[in-house]
Amino acid sequence: MKNKLPDIDGKTACFGVIGAPVAHSRSPEIHHYWFEKYGINARYLAFHVEEGNLAAVINGAKALGIRGLNVTVPHKEAILHFVDEIALPAQKIGAANTLFFKEGRAIATNTDAYGVVENLRQQLGAEKMQDCLQQVVVLGAGGAARAAVAGLMEAGATSITLTNRTRKKAEKLAADMQTQDGALQLVDWDAKEAALKAASLLINTTSLGMQHQPALEISLKHLPKNAVVYDIVYTPLMTDLLTRAKAQGNAIVTGDGMLLYQAQKAFHHWHAILPEVDADLRARLQT
Ligand code: ATR
């Protein structure tokens, strides 16, 4: 993007993302777009960080006066061991993607759950989103599933049926995230197709269907015609799951907005401005 940013001086606020790998992260581009749009004197950089250096990163960020960091794969869970405080969303999910620094303390939070739900709301509209939260079927039990379940529960999901290849991981998720009314049920991976009969929303949080990953093999023939299908995989944007769902008349939601909306919420934490996800920003990220 064009560089109209001011030079770094004593007044330039510094932000960044830590991960491994991180070189291809689009987050610097997103945040710089908003710095420019809202006239904020700041820089956002991608830092390749190995796991053994997380404690040093937190101390270094404090010493350097870095104001906020995003955390990406594979550090979202491990980072919790090195911060001074864990805000509720990160506690619930068991992972953080956003850190902010306040009075010398590092605070971890999570905006991925917001990203999953806000992307759904933006693509479906608020009313249709509420309708599809009646009977949710979640595929997967990794970090993305945890964020999705937390977000969907908070958004008012009445019933969530979760299935994962490794049952133990699903059981751990359910034990950590179960609500008192038992809204979260588990089914075996082999029984996932039967669970679709009553689904109002099917969400894939596994890596299946992603470029260079195995296909997601699931028949959609039992899925009601008014159910929504949401794939968090966005490389490719139109996954085989979404292509098949669309062909049989189901509404679909693509995963590309999640990155933008988790960034929107992180930006809000850091700058107290809820930045707009506008058409220009979306278009830049298509390239
Ligand atoms: P993320 O943080 O992106 O969610 P993750 O924690 O590694 O990544 O989770 C990946 C998810 O994809 C898991 O639910 C994983 O299932 P397992 O818990 O059984 O590993 C799922 N997944 C990955 N490859 C899979 C495959 N070949 N078949 C079925 N599920 C798969």
Side-chain angles (χ1 to χ4, degrees):
M1 68 181 289
K2 38 186 190 242
N3 187 355
K4 281 206 248 146
L5 295 164
D7 289 336
I8 290 189
D9 60 24
K11 295 184 204 113
T12 306
C14 294
F15 298 84
V17 53
I18 60 167
V22 78
H24 298 294
S25 169
R26 306 302 298 267
S27 294
E29 207 175 332
I30 297 171
H31 285 271
H32 279 153
Y33 178 84
W34 287 328
F35 293 155
E36 202 170 315
K37 178 164 176 166
Y38 295 99
I40 295 170
N41 179 8
R43 286 289 170 95
Y44 183 111
L45 301 171
F47 299 106
H48 186 105
V49 171
E50 300 298 344
E51 179 143 9
N53 287 330
L54 291 179
V57 163
I58 298 292
N59 285 332
K62 287 177 181 174
L64 292 168
I66 286 178
R67 301 261 290 276
L69 289 172
N70 281 129
V71 182
T72 188
V73 178
H75 303 319
K76 289 185 179 189
E77 287 155 36
I79 197 69
L80 297 182
H81 299 295
F82 303 100
V83 295
D84 300 298
E85 196 178 316
I86 304 173
L88 208 56
Q91 277 180 33
K92 252 187 166 160
I93 296 166
N97 76 323
T98 302
L99 308 181
F100 48 98
F101 297 87
K102 218 161 108 187
E103 289 154 12
R105 290 167 63 75
I107 302 160
T109 190
N110 194 309
T111 70
D112 285 332
Y114 171 88
V116 171
V117 173
E118 195 56 26
N119 183 43
L120 183 64
R121 193 194 322 274
Q122 294 292 337
Q123 290 191 43
L124 283 185
E127 200 175 319
K128 185 140 198 225
M129 182 180 91
Q130 282 309 321
D131 290 347
C132 82
L133 291 181
Q134 300 302 313
Q135 296 277 344
V136 182
V137 174
V138 176
L139 306 180
R146 285 175 166 261
V149 168
L152 294 168
M153 278 180 163
E154 181 149 335
T158 330
S159 161
I160 298 180
T161 301
L162 185 136
T163 179
N164 191 50
R165 175 182 60 176
T166 310
R167 170 105 189 179
K168 265 205 152 23
K169 219 155 123 191
E171 284 167 1
K172 173 85 171 67
L173 183 152
D176 291 347
M177 307 189 78
Q178 187 59 277
T179 51
Q180 285 191 332
D181 56 9
L184 183 57
Q185 304 102 36
L186 303 183
V187 297
D188 283 342
W189 187 242
D190 292 341
K192 58 186 175 304
E193 277 146 8
L196 297 186
K197 279 185 194 144
S200 53
L201 171 65
L202 167 64
I203 173 166
N204 174 43
T205 75
T206 73
S207 46
L208 296 173
M210 195 183 288
Q211 247 167 28
H212 314 303
Q213 296 292 323
L216 171 55
E217 283 166 19
I218 185 170
S219 162
L220 301 179
K221 76 170 183 248
H222 295 308
L223 191 71
K225 288 290 164 279
N226 60 354
V228 174
V229 178
Y230 183 2
D231 203 336
I232 69 152
V233 170
Y234 57 89
T235 50
L237 193 59
M238 276 304 286
T239 58
D240 171 63
L241 174 71
L242 294 182
T243 305
R244 289 189 289 120
K246 193 173 175 188
Q248 67 172 46
N250 291 99
I252 59 161
V253 173
T254 54
D256 52 336
M258 284 182 344
L259 175 70
L260 287 162
Y261 290 105
Q262 65 75 29
Q264 181 188 52
K265 183 86 170 177
F267 194 94
H268 186 247
H269 276 296
W270 295 331
H271 308 286
I273 293 170
L274 192 68
E276 191 187 354
V277 174
D278 59 26
D280 187 16
L281 177 57
R282 281 182 182 284
R284 281 166 193 249
L285 292 184
Q286 303 289 320
T287 58

